[in-house]
Structure formats: structure tokens, C-alpha cells
Amino acid sequence: MEESTKQLAKMLGERIRSLRLEQGLSQEQLGERSGLHTNYIGQIERGEKNLTLETLLKIARSLGTSLEQLLHSIDPLDVQTPLGQIVVMLSERPVADQTLVLALMKAVFSWEEEKRK
């Protein structure tokens, strides 16, 4: 593996380990949920394996998260941009609040469109 690829694999492995531990899961339990061998989970968490998208998806689903959330800390959105600030704010809010903000945004954009006509 190239050095940059090794670093990426290590960061991803650390992220997976962190999420697994947050949920109180052992490597064996994550392996059972995802259909992957326990040794393979260990290799992933140590950054020794370069994952396929299929394996990454299995792990994300087994951890009850999305690929976006899994990869977020590895290649985070720039929080200095307005979009980054919006994403950070919304990600810290309950789903009900996120749904409300989405409805408000749609209403504002629709109103803006009507105003232009």
C-alpha cells in the first residue's frame, strides 16, 4: 500500500473501532453482525486492510450508521463554509428538528422561486 493509502486505512480503522466501542461491541460481535471474520475486523481496525465498498457498507450497516457518517471524520466538511456550518448544526440536532429545518428551507426556496416569477 502507498503511504497515503496506509494513512487513510489507519484513520478508517480507528473510526470503525471508535464506533464499535461506543456501542459496546466486541470485534467478534461486529464480525457476526457484518458476516466478516473477527481476525479481519482486527486487521481493518489496525489499518492493515484496504476495504472494498461492499465491506465498508457491511460494517456501516452493522454499526447502524451510514457511509457518510462513517467517513465523516476521515474527510470532514470544511466547517468554515456556510454549508459546513449548516451540516454541523443540523447533525447535532434531533431528527425532528432536522425535518423542521428541511421543511422551512423548502418553503423559503419555494417562496423565493414564486417571487422571481
Side-chain angles (χ1 to χ4, degrees):
M1 264 193 271
E2 232 180 81
E3 192 57 38
S4 61
T5 304
K6 286 181 185 179
Q7 185 61 28
L8 183 60
K10 187 167 179 56
M11 290 169 54
L12 181 56
E14 290 170 359
R15 175 73 173 144
I16 290 168
R17 176 182 288 128
S18 173
L19 290 171
R20 176 181 61 77
L21 292 174
E22 281 177 20
Q23 295 183 28
L25 296 173
S26 66
Q27 287 181 344
E28 185 175 79
Q29 289 169 317
L30 179 57
E32 288 172 5
R33 285 183 177 190
S34 61
L36 302 170
H37 194 278
T38 304
N39 292 342
Y40 189 58
I41 297 292
Q43 292 171 325
I44 290 168
E45 289 185 355
R46 291 188 299 275
E48 297 170 357
K49 291 292 179 184
N50 194 3
L51 301 176
T52 65
L53 288 174
E54 181 181 0
T55 300
L56 202 54
L57 186 58
K58 285 180 183 180
I59 291 172
R61 287 183 175 159
S62 299
L63 291 169
T65 191
S66 66
L67 285 175
E68 189 270 332
Q69 284 295 103
L70 188 63
L71 298 173
H72 176 73
S73 64
I74 294 164
D75 188 23
L77 204 55
D78 181 359
V79 295
Q80 301 304 315
T81 65
L83 178 59
Q85 292 173 21
I86 291 168
V87 169
V88 169
M89 288 176 66
L90 285 175
S91 68
E92 296 170 349
R93 303 298 304 171
V95 173
D97 290 356
Q98 294 171 7
T99 303
L100 175 62
V101 169
L102 178 60
L104 288 170
M105 287 175 61
K106 286 180 177 179
V108 168
F109 295 153
S110 176
W111 175 75
E112 237 349 91
E113 288 286 318
E114 288 299 317
K115 208 170 76 168
R116 290 182 191 162
K117 291 181 181 179

